[in-house]
Amino acid sequence: MAFLSSRYAHLLFRHLPLLLAGVIGGYLIGTSNTENRLAIRDEDYSASTEAPPVRAAIVALVRNSDLFGLRQSMRQIEDRFNSRFNYPYIFVNDEPFTEEFKQGVSDLTDSHVEFGTLDHDSWKVPEWIDQERYEKVKLTATYPHAEKDSYRKMCRFQSGFLHRHPLLKDLEYYWRIEPDVEYFCDIDYDPFLFMKQNGLKYGWTIAMPEFMDTIATLWNTTERFIGEHPEYLAKHSLREWITGNGGGYNGCHFWSNFEIVDLSFYRSAEYQAYFDYLDRAGGFFYERWGDAPVHSIAAALFLNATQVHYFDDFGYFHPQVSTCPGGSKQRGRCVCDSDLSIVQNGFCSVRYRNIKHQILHPDSPTAAHSGPVSHVKPFVDST
């Protein structure tokens, strides 16, 4: 206080208790207001500080070499959804994850992250496969990934073993993601809770035709299975969505690189029996049956139409194909060029909407979609 005159020093000390009271009071009021604001925010985004309301996780089968692509996907998921809802991540691999991989993905989220490896039986060419026949297929088939053991093992694993991995045993739902995908829209509600509250079993965003050479005998095998187990067919199924006028498979399937699923469906007696039947038939290796058509055919046959949901409010990109909510180029909480998104009006998406509309509204004189239908060619990822 040497720099103050004795007059100002006297006044300062005289009023110091009042000044201190004001400062302390102002601090307490300000702190209280801050806590109130945080409480409001925590109430709005309660999953940020509390356990999520559904036993669910975001799940991916990935390799150590997928680190950069998966980090891109996680950055999208966190920014658009999970930073507010705090669901855990589960990553599985056919070999141990590196410390670099674990650190690289953990850096991007405050959520719990678990890492697992696959057991030998779930990632192998089964002993009942004729190796000579299989090797000949790999040499002569011309469809994408025809020569790859790993791709076939991946399709088989995703079809019948991912949902049985020990890290998923306590989950009710999973949301499957892959590296190098993008989410164009803020997701301001909990899709797991939405599905649970509405009795939904399978959620999707993109429907496409399949490369038919990869599934040449899948439908015939499926028909034999249904012939042996007609009791598994749902009363109000989407069977007509996946069949043509002659009753054969039209190739329509949900792209399973995005799917949100009630895992009780994959754990059900009908789905497990169906997968086991397909597995013994050998088509995952003699052809190249994908998990997407397997999941889709099962959903179309074993679930009622009311249990399948099209997440048309999700803007989503998987390399080569995107889907955008209508008008999201100009408005809303999306940055998505709907002019480049052709799958919404593609044959498979339109057929799904029309067939489901007929099932839910049998007396309706109009279709769900009456506009033009785009011709969409099959795509395959470059994994």
Side-chain angles (χ1 to χ4, degrees), residues 162-233:
L162 177 58
H163 60 276
R164 291 189 280 173
H165 192 280
L167 290 180
L168 278 67
K169 65 182 177 63
D170 294 324
L171 297 184
E172 297 174 275
Y173 294 81
Y174 85 168
W175 177 343
R176 182 170 149 193
I177 65 168
E178 289 195 355
D180 302 307
V181 300
E182 296 183 49
Y183 288 83
F184 299 124
C185 304
D186 285 350
I187 303 167
D188 57 3
Y189 66 97
D190 184 337
F192 296 121
L193 187 59
F194 171 80
M195 291 188 67
K196 186 172 184 176
Q197 291 176 336
N198 290 279
L200 301 169
K201 299 289 187 180
Y202 192 93
W204 62 280
T205 59
I206 291 177
M208 298 283 290
E210 181 60 295
F211 286 94
M212 299 305 285
D213 286 348
T214 67
I215 52 166
T217 64
L218 175 58
W219 185 248
N220 289 339
T221 307
T222 299
E223 286 191 313
R224 290 197 300 272
F225 174 78
I226 293 302
E228 295 177 21
H229 297 283
E231 70 277 10
Y232 289 154
L233 285 176

Side-chain angles (χ1 to χ4, degrees), residues 88-295:
Y89 291 88
I90 297 174
F91 301 124
V92 295
N93 191 350
D94 64 316
E95 59 185 33
F97 284 108
T98 64
E99 291 305 313
E100 178 187 48
F101 185 96
K102 293 179 181 179
Q103 187 64 52
V105 298
S106 299
D107 284 345
L108 292 173
T109 181
D110 292 327
S111 297
H112 183 63
V113 184
E114 292 191 274
F115 304 90
T117 53
L118 318 182
D119 63 57
H120 175 70
D121 288 341
S122 66
W123 193 265
K124 69 175 184 178
V125 179
E127 58 275 7
W128 58 81
I129 297 298
D130 182 331
Q131 287 293 330
E132 183 177 350
R133 177 183 172 188
Y134 175 40
E135 291 300 324
K136 184 177 180 180
V137 168
K138 290 196 293 181
L139 291 172
T140 58
T142 58
Y143 43 74
H145 304 309
E147 76 288 358
K148 292 183 178 180
D149 284 327
S150 61
Y151 196 88
R152 289 178 168 84
K153 290 176 181 178
M154 178 270 292
C155 291
R156 177 176 181 257
F157 177 81
Q158 302 270 36
S159 296
F161 295 95
L162 177 58
H163 60 276
R164 291 189 280 173
H165 192 280
L167 290 180
L168 278 67
K169 65 182 177 63
D170 294 324
L171 297 184
E172 297 174 275
Y173 294 81
Y174 85 168
W175 177 343
R176 182 170 149 193
I177 65 168
E178 289 195 355
D180 302 307
V181 300
E182 296 183 49
Y183 288 83
F184 299 124
C185 304
D186 285 350
I187 303 167
D188 57 3
Y189 66 97
D190 184 337
F192 296 121
L193 187 59
F194 171 80
M195 291 188 67
K196 186 172 184 176
Q197 291 176 336
N198 290 279
L200 301 169
K201 299 289 187 180
Y202 192 93
W204 62 280
T205 59
I206 291 177
M208 298 283 290
E210 181 60 295
F211 286 94
M212 299 305 285
D213 286 348
T214 67
I215 52 166
T217 64
L218 175 58
W219 185 248
N220 289 339
T221 307
T222 299
E223 286 191 313
R224 290 197 300 272
F225 174 78
I226 293 302
E228 295 177 21
H229 297 283
E231 70 277 10
Y232 289 154
L233 285 176
K235 183 177 181 180
H236 300 292
S237 77
L238 287 164
R239 180 172 184 162
E240 192 175 347
W241 171 60
I242 58 171
T243 55
N245 293 332
Y249 182 40
N250 60 20
C252 286
H253 66 287
F254 307 124
W255 259 20
S256 55
N257 47 71
F258 171 100
E259 59 179 17
I260 303 178
V261 185
D262 179 341
L263 292 173
S264 68
F265 169 49
Y266 288 159
R267 294 167 181 150
S268 67
E270 54 268 35
Y271 183 85
Q272 194 56 56
Y274 178 56
F275 169 75
D276 290 343
Y277 194 91
L278 297 182
D279 199 25
R280 298 297 303 191
F284 291 107
F285 297 94
Y286 298 142
E287 296 170 15
R288 204 215 66 203
W289 294 351
D291 52 282
V294 170
H295 286 177

